[in-house]
Amino acid sequence: MLTFLKVSIPVGVLMRSFGLILIASLAMASSAHAINVTNGSFEQGAAITGGFDLLAPGNTTAITGWTVLGPGGVDYADNNLWAASDGSRSVELPGIGTGGLSQVVTNQFVIGQKYVMRFDYTVNPFALDGNYGATVSVTGAGPVVFDYEKTAANMPGSMNYLTFAYNFTATSETKTIEFLSNGTGFLGIVIDNVSIAEAGVVPEPASWAMLLAGFGLTGAMMRRRRPVPAALR
């Protein structure tokens, strides 16, 4: 025969238990390491005169860590010309025609691991309104074209940067990342704030929903404070 004894589980125990689960989940997310992209915001480099400098293809010193691509080179700009998204410098991919940047990221990737490269993206505010694009690629992964619709709202002091993401799976420990403007015009895509991290560093929306649901459940239990029956033989 069963008899029942009413006992209460302390709310503090419930909160501590859920707190430990939350901390563990966030710790797992933050443990995924970021890849070291050298000078991802282009702040380190040669002095800029008059708001921007045209850099020729093959230049490996003007923007620390980056190689300038051609045939048109790039415009290396500072806040005297237009606002950067991070810091005071940015790069316009077309210089006097198709141009871009590349960087070799050495011995940092885990083969088979998924990564996401993020970058801030806009268009030269002095360009005509319309659609502009650039091709982004990582060795071992397919090139992707990213477009930006430039409007009159893009101004030197308000560049309306958008953050884009390029997802790829590592097939080698060393990768070359590349940004190359599309078309042959002199005015076009401006990039800044390039970074790479393992995919999943930030919890997905579903994970946040589960955590918030847990908080709600704990809160409801605190409000009700009903005793829980425990069965004894």
Side-chain angles (χ1 to χ4, degrees):
M1 179 177 179
L2 294 177
T3 58
F4 291 88
L5 174 65
K6 290 187 177 181
V7 297
S8 295
I9 300 175
V11 172
V13 172
L14 293 174
M15 290 297 292
R16 284 194 296 273
S17 298
F18 183 73
L20 290 173
I21 294 172
L22 174 61
I23 291 170
S25 299
L26 295 179
M28 289 176 64
S30 62
S31 64
H33 72 282
I35 299 298
N36 180 28
V37 176
T38 301
N39 195 23
S41 290
F42 312 122
E43 297 302 295
Q44 304 167 33
I48 296 174
T49 56
F52 77 98
D53 283 326
L54 174 63
L55 305 181
N59 188 311
T60 60
T61 60
I63 307 175
T64 302
W66 296 91
T67 297
V68 178
L69 305 177
V74 301
D75 289 329
Y76 190 25
D78 64 18
N79 282 351
N80 291 312
L81 185 64
W82 56 57
S85 71
D86 183 54
S88 62
R89 296 184 174 194
S90 58
V91 174
E92 183 182 19
L93 296 179
I96 54 172
T98 302
L101 292 174
S102 69
Q103 181 176 140
V104 179
V105 182
T106 306
N107 296 331
Q108 294 192 51
F109 297 94
V110 176
I111 296 174
Q113 173 66 48
K114 293 182 179 181
Y115 294 89
V116 57
M117 178 166 66
R118 294 183 174 88
F119 48 93
D120 295 341
Y121 204 75
T122 189
V123 172
N124 184 323
F126 305 109
L128 295 175
D129 291 353
N131 186 271
Y132 296 81
T135 300
V136 180
S137 63
V138 174
T139 49
V144 177
V145 174
F146 290 88
D147 292 318
Y148 187 103
E149 190 69 26
K150 191 266 180 187
T151 70
N154 293 75
M155 297 181 290
S158 179
M159 292 284 283
N160 293 333
Y161 284 92
L162 298 177
T163 299
F164 288 119
Y166 174 101
N167 295 280
F168 64 97
T169 300
T171 55
S172 61
E173 295 178 352
T174 297
K175 295 287 184 185
T176 299
I177 60 178
E178 181 176 296
F179 300 84
L180 189 67
S181 66
N182 296 339
T184 58
F186 292 6
L187 307 180
I189 294 295
V190 176
I191 65 168
D192 199 2
N193 198 24
V194 180
S195 65
I196 302 176
E198 292 180 2
V201 170
V202 177
E204 297 294 330
S207 299
W208 282 118
M210 184 170 60
L211 292 174
L212 291 173
F215 275 128
L217 178 61
T218 304
M221 294 180 72
M222 289 180 65
R223 288 192 298 272
R224 295 175 68 181
R225 294 177 179 269
R226 289 186 177 177
V228 179
L232 298 175
R233 282 188 191 275

